[in-house]
Amino acid sequence: MRQLIVRRLLQTIPLLFFVSIACFALVKLAPGDPVLSFVTPNMHPEDIERIRHHLGLDQPAYMQYLLWLKEMFRGNLGYSLVNHQPVAHQIIERIPATAGLMGSALLLAVLIAIPLGLAAGSQRNRWADKLINLISYIGISIPIFWLAIMLIYLFAIQLHWLPVMGMRTIGKESAMDVIKHGILPCSVLAFSFLSTYVRYIRSGTIGQLKEEYVQIQYAFGSSKRIVLFRHVMKHVLLPIITLLGMSMAELVTGAIVTETVFSWPGIGSLGMTAVKGLDYPVIMGITLLSALLLIIGNLLADILYGFADPRIKTTR
C-alpha cells in the first residue's frame, strides 16, 4: 500500500504539468483580450500598450507560460488580471464556502441514496422501484439551472420561506442564517448527485441479490433488512467510493452554475468571473487545484477499496 501511495504521488507531477499546458493553451486560444476590461473610450493606444506590457501580455504565449511556471514553483500563483489580488489568497478565501456547500450536498446525497438504491434493487420492477427510477431519471435529465430557478420561484418568491442570494444576510452573523441561505443550493446539488448514486446502488443491489451468499443468509434465517444493510450494502458501495473520489475536485471547484444562480461566494463563481475576463492566472490556479484534488480523490478511493473489500487488498 505504501508503494502504491508513493507511486501515485510521483505521477501527480507530470499529470499536473500536462494539465497546466492544456489549460494555458485553451485560455490563450479563446477569443477575446483581457486588456479590453481596462480600456476606456478616451484611452490612447500608447496607454493600452502600456497596460499590456505591465500585465506581461505583450510577450509570446510560451514565454508567458514559462514565467507563470517559474512563479508557481516558488509557491506564487500570480495576481489576478482583473482585480490585481493574489490568486492564492482569493482561492483560499473562497474554499470554505464551496467546501461547506459541496460537502453538505454530497453527504446528504449519499445518506439518501443508500436506502433508496437498496429499496429499488430489492423491489425490482415493483411500484417502489418504478417510482424511485422515475425520480432518478428526472434528476439526471433536467438541467441544474432550471431546477434552481424553479426552487427559487417556489420557496423564495411565492412562499417567502428561504433567502435566494448570497451566503449571509447583511447585518447577521448567525450560523442559522448561513444554513437558510444554503438550503436551496444544497438541495439542488444533492438532488443531482442523488439521482446518479441511486442508479449505481440499485444496479449493484440487483447483481448482489443473485449471489450465493445472499441465499445462504436467507437459509440461516436472516431477514431481508439484515441481508440488505449488513451484507449487500458493503458490496454495492464500491462504485460509490469511486464517485466520491472523483467528486473531491468538486469540493473546491464547486458547481459553477449553481453558485452563479444563487450568487454563492465560492470558487465556482470566482471561476466564472475569471473565464468572462480571461483572467488566466485565476483560471490556472483553480484548474490545477481541482486536478490535484481529483488525483488525491482517486488515490483515496483506491485505498478505501482495500478496506471495503479485502479481496482487492489480497490481490494487490
Side-chain angles (χ1 to χ4, degrees), residues 241-242 244-246 296-306 316:
I241 293 177
T242 302
L244 290 176
M246 296 178 64
I296 294 176
N298 288 330
L299 175 60
L300 292 177
D302 289 340
I303 295 174
L304 291 176
Y305 270 173
R316 287 177 177 170

Side-chain angles (χ1 to χ4, degrees), residues 87-163:
V87 175
H89 175 72
Q90 295 184 70
I91 293 177
I92 294 174
E93 186 179 36
R94 291 174 177 253
I95 281 179
T98 298
L101 177 63
M102 297 301 299
S104 302
L106 286 173
L107 179 61
L108 182 62
V110 171
L111 293 179
I112 298 177
I114 291 176
L116 288 182
L118 292 174
S122 61
Q123 302 289 330
R124 186 182 182 184
N125 295 329
R126 298 181 183 179
W127 69 268
D129 181 32
K130 294 179 180 180
L131 178 61
I132 295 174
N133 275 332
L134 177 62
I135 297 174
S136 299
Y137 286 134
I138 292 175
I140 295 173
S141 303
I142 63 175
I144 292 180
F145 73 89
W146 183 87
L147 177 61
I149 293 174
M150 291 298 102
L151 291 182
I152 290 174
Y153 177 78
L154 177 61
F155 292 101
I157 298 177
Q158 293 295 326
L159 300 177
H160 303 284
W161 287 357
L162 297 171

Side-chain angles (χ1 to χ4, degrees), residues 252-264:
V252 172
T253 57
I256 294 179
V257 175
T258 305
E259 290 189 358
T260 303
V261 171
F262 290 99
S263 298
W264 190 262

Side-chain angles (χ1 to χ4, degrees), residues 98-274:
T98 298
L101 177 63
M102 297 301 299
S104 302
L106 286 173
L107 179 61
L108 182 62
V110 171
L111 293 179
I112 298 177
I114 291 176
L116 288 182
L118 292 174
S122 61
Q123 302 289 330
R124 186 182 182 184
N125 295 329
R126 298 181 183 179
W127 69 268
D129 181 32
K130 294 179 180 180
L131 178 61
I132 295 174
N133 275 332
L134 177 62
I135 297 174
S136 299
Y137 286 134
I138 292 175
I140 295 173
S141 303
I142 63 175
I144 292 180
F145 73 89
W146 183 87
L147 177 61
I149 293 174
M150 291 298 102
L151 291 182
I152 290 174
Y153 177 78
L154 177 61
F155 292 101
I157 298 177
Q158 293 295 326
L159 300 177
H160 303 284
W161 287 357
L162 297 171
V164 179
M165 312 297 288
M167 184 177 172
R168 297 179 183 273
T169 302
I170 298 178
K172 293 184 179 181
E173 299 293 335
S174 64
M176 184 56 64
D177 182 61
V178 177
I179 293 175
K180 289 182 179 180
H181 281 79
I183 288 177
L184 288 182
C186 181
S187 300
V188 171
L189 293 172
F191 186 64
S192 176
F193 293 132
L194 170 69
S195 305
T196 304
Y197 294 167
V198 167
R199 298 295 301 165
Y200 278 94
I201 296 176
R202 175 187 179 274
S203 178
T205 302
I206 294 174
Q208 290 299 318
L209 290 177
K210 299 177 182 179
E211 298 292 333
E212 294 183 356
Y213 75 90
V214 174
Q215 305 303 324
I216 293 175
Q217 292 297 325
Y218 282 137
F220 283 140
S222 298
S223 64
K224 191 173 185 178
R225 182 184 181 88
I226 293 178
V227 171
L228 285 176
F229 286 94
R230 184 175 298 179
H231 302 283
V232 174
M233 187 175 68
K234 294 188 299 183
H235 299 278
V236 301
L237 289 183
L238 290 178
I240 301 301
I241 293 177
T242 302
L243 294 176
L244 290 176
M246 296 178 64
S247 300
M248 281 288 293
E250 298 181 0
L251 291 177
V252 172
T253 57
I256 294 179
V257 175
T258 305
E259 290 189 358
T260 303
V261 171
F262 290 99
S263 298
W264 190 262
I267 297 183
S269 57
L270 175 65
M272 179 64 73
T273 304

Side-chain angles (χ1 to χ4, degrees), residues 1-12 295 299-300 302-303 307 316:
M1 183 63 69
R2 184 179 302 175
Q3 294 179 353
L4 170 66
I5 297 175
V6 173
R7 185 171 66 251
R8 294 289 292 274
L9 291 178
L10 291 177
Q11 293 173 355
T12 301
I295 296 171
L299 175 60
L300 292 177
D302 289 340
I303 295 174
F307 294 99
R316 287 177 177 170

Side-chain angles (χ1 to χ4, degrees), residues 11-29:
Q11 293 173 355
T12 301
I13 300 175
L15 283 174
L16 292 178
F17 176 70
F18 286 114
V19 167
S20 65
I21 293 177
C23 180
F24 192 87
L26 290 175
V27 172
K28 289 302 178 181
L29 291 175

